[in-house]
Amino acid sequence: MAIRTLRIIRTSAVKARTQTFNTLWGVMIGAPSPLREDLVALTKRTLINRCLQLGPETDDVLTLIDAPEQLLTAGATTALRDLARHWKASDEEITTLNKQIEALVRSTAPELVELHGVGIELAGQFLVTAGDNAERIRSEVAFAKLCGVAPQPVNSGRTTGRHRLSRSGDRAANSALYIVTIVRMRGHQPNS
């Protein structure tokens, strides 16, 4: 239950961080040319750090009411600085949540994390899926059905023996299982 809650909060924080950066980028692109030219070529982290250092020439914007160019620059620098602060706070929250999730996942299922291709994020998803449906998972077949990877027979009346993959199941667990499969296939050494 705790892993699920922390993962939900982390997902929300990641979305907020992404949205904040997209807004910061939009404000930067619309900023006056001198300010924009100083920032546009920077990498993401460098841009955030540079924006954190920005400050308007005055905090009293009413003194700039007769100077529209300076007012526009002051508004843009204030917005960029505040957005960078918000991005930094979200980033720190995500880092803290990642550490908490990792500690919980490692203590709950250390053997799962040790499997090739299964990291903290994927193990957390499997634990959430299994925790929600503990009564449904009695075998590997049941887990495969829950993840939507168990073959289902296709009977149209004329054909038998054909199968298709299930379209139902926990789509997040399905995605996690797919990623593990791809990683393992890439790392597998074929027999000669």
Side-chain angles (χ1 to χ4, degrees):
M1 185 66 169
I3 294 172
R4 164 196 294 291
T5 305
L6 291 175
R7 283 174 50 86
I8 290 169
I9 295 168
R10 182 188 176 281
T11 300
S12 176
V14 168
K15 286 180 183 177
R17 181 179 67 178
T18 301
Q19 184 178 13
T20 300
F21 186 79
N22 291 344
T23 304
L24 183 142
W25 186 264
V27 169
M28 182 203 55
I29 293 299
S33 292
L35 180 59
R36 180 181 61 242
E37 290 169 3
D38 286 344
L39 302 174
V40 75
L42 301 176
T43 63
K44 182 186 277 189
R45 291 258 179 207
T46 307
L47 174 62
I48 295 295
N49 290 331
R50 177 71 177 94
C51 287
L52 285 169
Q53 298 168 359
L54 291 175
E57 52 191 75
T58 179
D59 288 327
D60 185 12
V61 292
L62 289 178
T63 60
L64 302 174
I65 202 75
D66 294 328
E69 285 295 319
Q70 288 178 309
L71 183 60
L72 183 60
T73 302
T77 54
T78 300
L80 290 170
R81 182 191 62 213
D82 292 347
L83 287 165
R85 285 178 182 164
H86 184 65
W87 187 94
K88 189 78 167 171
S90 295
D91 191 57
E92 290 169 358
E93 179 184 9
I94 291 165
T95 301
T96 301
L97 289 167
N98 284 342
K99 289 177 185 173
Q100 292 172 347
I101 291 168
E102 181 175 359
L104 285 171
V105 169
R106 284 194 186 279
S107 69
T108 304
E111 65 283 349
L112 183 60
V113 178
E114 295 303 318
L115 293 174
H116 177 68
V118 181
I120 297 298
E121 184 67 25
L122 299 179
Q125 179 57 54
F126 290 137
L127 289 172
V128 168
T129 299
D132 288 346
N133 303 287
E135 69 284 351
R136 290 177 58 190
I137 303 174
R138 293 181 293 282
S139 66
E140 289 179 9
V141 173
F143 184 70
K145 283 182 181 180
L146 183 62
C147 292
V149 295
Q152 292 182 330
V154 177
N155 293 327
S156 64
R158 289 186 262 175
T159 60
T160 57
R162 292 179 45 207
H163 293 83
R164 67 175 172 82
L165 287 180
S166 170
R167 300 281 184 238
S168 61
D170 185 334
R171 302 315 301 161
N174 182 288
S175 175
L177 199 55
Y178 175 79
I179 292 168
V180 170
T181 303
I182 296 299
V183 169
R184 286 180 163 212
M185 286 172 61
R186 285 185 184 161
H188 173 70
Q189 297 299 323
N191 296 335
S192 306

